[in-house]
Amino acid sequence: MKLPPINLTLKDLNTCNYDRFILKSTIHMQEGEFVANVAQSQSSTNKTHSLKGYTAYPGLFNAHDHLLGTYYPRVGNGPYICWKPWDNDLKASKIYEERNRLPIEQIYLLSYYRHILSGVTTVCDHIPHLINDKQIESAYIRIVEQYCIAHEMSSYELIWGEDHEIEIQKAKRYNIPFVTHLEEGFDEESMRGVEVLIEKQGLSSNAVLVHCIACSEQDISLIAEKKASMVWCPNSNLFMFDKTANIKSFLEKNVNVSLGTDSPMSGSLHLLDEMKIASSVYKDFYNEAIPAQLIFKMVTQNPATAFKLNRLIGKIEPGKQADLILLKSKKGSPYERLIKAGIDEIEVVIRSGVPLYFHEKHKHLFYPDSLLKTHYERVRVIHKNTSNIAYLIGKPLKLKKRIQKSARFNKEIDFFPIEAP
Ligand SMILES: [Zn+2]
């Protein structure tokens, strides 16, 4: 990113981490990080602003997506026995053909805006390194860079990395995550996923296991015992299979669970929707509420732990990257407040001290007009019957036009609801 991080002190606002909610706090950001206090020599470079009535949350982390699959609408006619027939339907569809008219750069840019507008500053892009390596550096959001990968553990998987054993050993050697779909289906092979993973010595604290919808109680116990992480994508699961993982059992066995949207061609529009769906699915299946604070942890601290980034992100605290989002405070639980929020309520999104998105009323917090003009576009963001004028980094309106040109008609995409003001 070419923009320098902004040195900024925000005071009188609430700070909401998963383990602590602080009223009337002060947040200092310097050189892209949160700091305990502003060093004497640098104090003059920090602008101080009162943000009374607002709550700051850490930037959200979407633990499972395929950025290359960022398109709309969803494709599929489930329930399927496993992901493979869905993948066949996807690849035979008109929407897939249409998506393939877009160059990779356009698809990736679109994915950044989908995330930014919903408060996400970090994403795990489950895709071969060969595809996203060139995108990571210029991405507005943070894409997890250090990971080993498999598509999944079956004989009919897509080949996304080296041999499973090699990827698994590499992950252990460098202590980085080994990310794979697992038990995403109910055919014989899918249901043996955990067993196969163990045979390949892949069930360890480096493993990040996505979906796990066919996992038995015994599988879940083994996952817990080995301290592997799990990523739950309820909306994508329900869309493709009419079923999702036994999440209550994962939680009761203290597995580190994160939330992911999967690509919008099978999953949620964005992470804010996924949080709402996670909450309602839990209620429907178990007839009890899942604490909002726990769902919040699944999009902040837990994915930071799973991807071994918790020294860098996941909380607003000194030493961590200055990733934050701002919403107006409301009465009641700050966690519920966030989960119930629509994209219209995310007023500011900052990643490593660089504002990615902000409602126009906050523009005085950031750069001079000359920089705003060159690095942002002023846009209207539409949500249901409301709309807000905001600044969005890069050239989103231009991107929308380029996408429409590539698609060869005036394509509208529900997770990219912007227009010229
Ligand atoms: Zn996936």
Side-chain angles (χ1 to χ4, degrees), residues 64-66 126 151 160 181 184 210-211 233 236 262-263 266:
H64 186 66
D65 198 349
H66 310 280
H126 187 210
H151 174 256
W160 279 5
H181 295 118
E184 190 186 10
V210 183
H211 298 313
C233 307
S236 174
D262 220 342
S263 96
S266 68

Side-chain angles (χ1 to χ4, degrees), residues 29-292:
M29 290 179 262
Q30 282 213 328
E31 312 296 328
E33 288 184 8
F34 295 119
V35 294
N37 46 49
V38 179
Q40 204 68 39
S41 59
Q42 293 170 321
S43 59
S44 60
T45 70
N46 261 40
K47 292 199 265 178
T48 300
H49 297 274
S50 170
L51 275 168
K52 193 162 179 269
Y54 280 86
T55 299
Y57 300 83
L60 308 181
F61 191 144
N62 183 3
H64 186 66
D65 198 349
H66 310 280
L67 300 187
L68 189 63
T70 303
Y71 210 59
Y72 192 78
R74 303 204 280 197
V75 173
N77 187 21
Y80 296 99
I81 179 87
C82 68
W83 62 271
K84 185 71 181 166
W86 172 80
D87 197 56
N88 293 341
D89 280 357
L90 171 74
K91 286 172 179 162
S93 70
K94 282 223 155 65
I95 296 293
Y96 186 75
E97 187 203 316
E98 184 187 305
R99 185 187 102 191
N100 282 343
R101 291 184 210 141
L102 274 61
I104 287 188
E105 302 76 47
Q106 285 180 21
I107 296 266
Y108 268 79
L109 276 168
L110 183 61
S111 78
Y112 309 150
Y113 291 123
R114 169 179 175 238
H115 283 105
I116 292 168
L117 291 171
S118 55
V120 173
T121 48
T122 304
V123 64
C124 171
D125 179 23
H126 187 210
I127 212 91
H129 284 288
L130 202 63
I131 291 172
N132 67 16
D133 263 358
K134 284 183 223 108
Q135 315 297 331
I136 286 177
E137 211 194 306
S138 60
Y140 300 134
I141 55 172
R142 180 180 301 98
I143 301 174
V144 175
E145 204 174 345
Q146 305 277 346
Y147 60 90
C148 292
I149 187 170
H151 174 256
E152 68 150 14
M153 291 291 125
S154 71
S155 60
Y156 53 83
E157 64 145 3
L158 310 172
I159 311 291
W160 279 5
E162 295 188 77
D163 286 350
H164 294 162
E165 287 86 348
I166 295 176
E167 294 283 336
I168 285 165
Q169 290 313 319
K170 219 174 13 173
K172 286 183 187 168
R173 193 175 334 128
Y174 296 108
N175 195 27
I176 58 178
F178 168 71
V179 188
T180 184
H181 295 118
L182 198 77
E183 303 212 7
E184 190 186 10
F186 301 94
D187 60 308
E188 214 175 301
E189 274 205 56
S190 294
M191 292 178 74
R192 283 193 64 234
V194 169
E195 207 179 311
V196 174
L197 188 65
I198 291 171
E199 280 165 20
K200 295 181 176 183
Q201 302 189 342
L203 191 60
S204 74
S205 60
N206 297 86
V208 180
L209 311 173
V210 183
H211 298 313
C212 302
I213 58 174
C215 282
S216 63
E217 284 297 334
Q218 197 195 345
D219 290 337
I220 299 170
S221 296
L222 288 164
I223 290 169
E225 195 184 303
K226 297 291 182 184
K227 299 201 171 352
S229 292
M230 182 269 189
V231 182
W232 186 33
C233 307
N235 203 13
S236 174
N237 299 157
L238 291 171
F239 178 69
M240 287 166 65
F241 307 103
D242 262 349
K243 287 197 175 88
T244 188
N246 184 355
I247 202 65
K248 191 172 184 204
S249 177
F250 277 95
L251 294 171
E252 280 172 357
K253 293 182 161 90
N254 288 320
V255 175
N256 181 54
V257 174
S258 306
L259 206 57
T261 58
D262 220 342
S263 96
M265 300 199 80
S266 68
S268 290
L269 277 187
H270 47 66
L271 196 62
L272 287 179
D273 273 7
E274 193 73 40
M275 288 156 74
K276 292 176 188 62
I277 286 155
S279 179
S280 72
V281 163
Y282 197 95
K283 183 94 209 236
D284 288 350
F285 283 14
Y286 304 111
N287 204 21
E288 61 182 91
I290 183 169

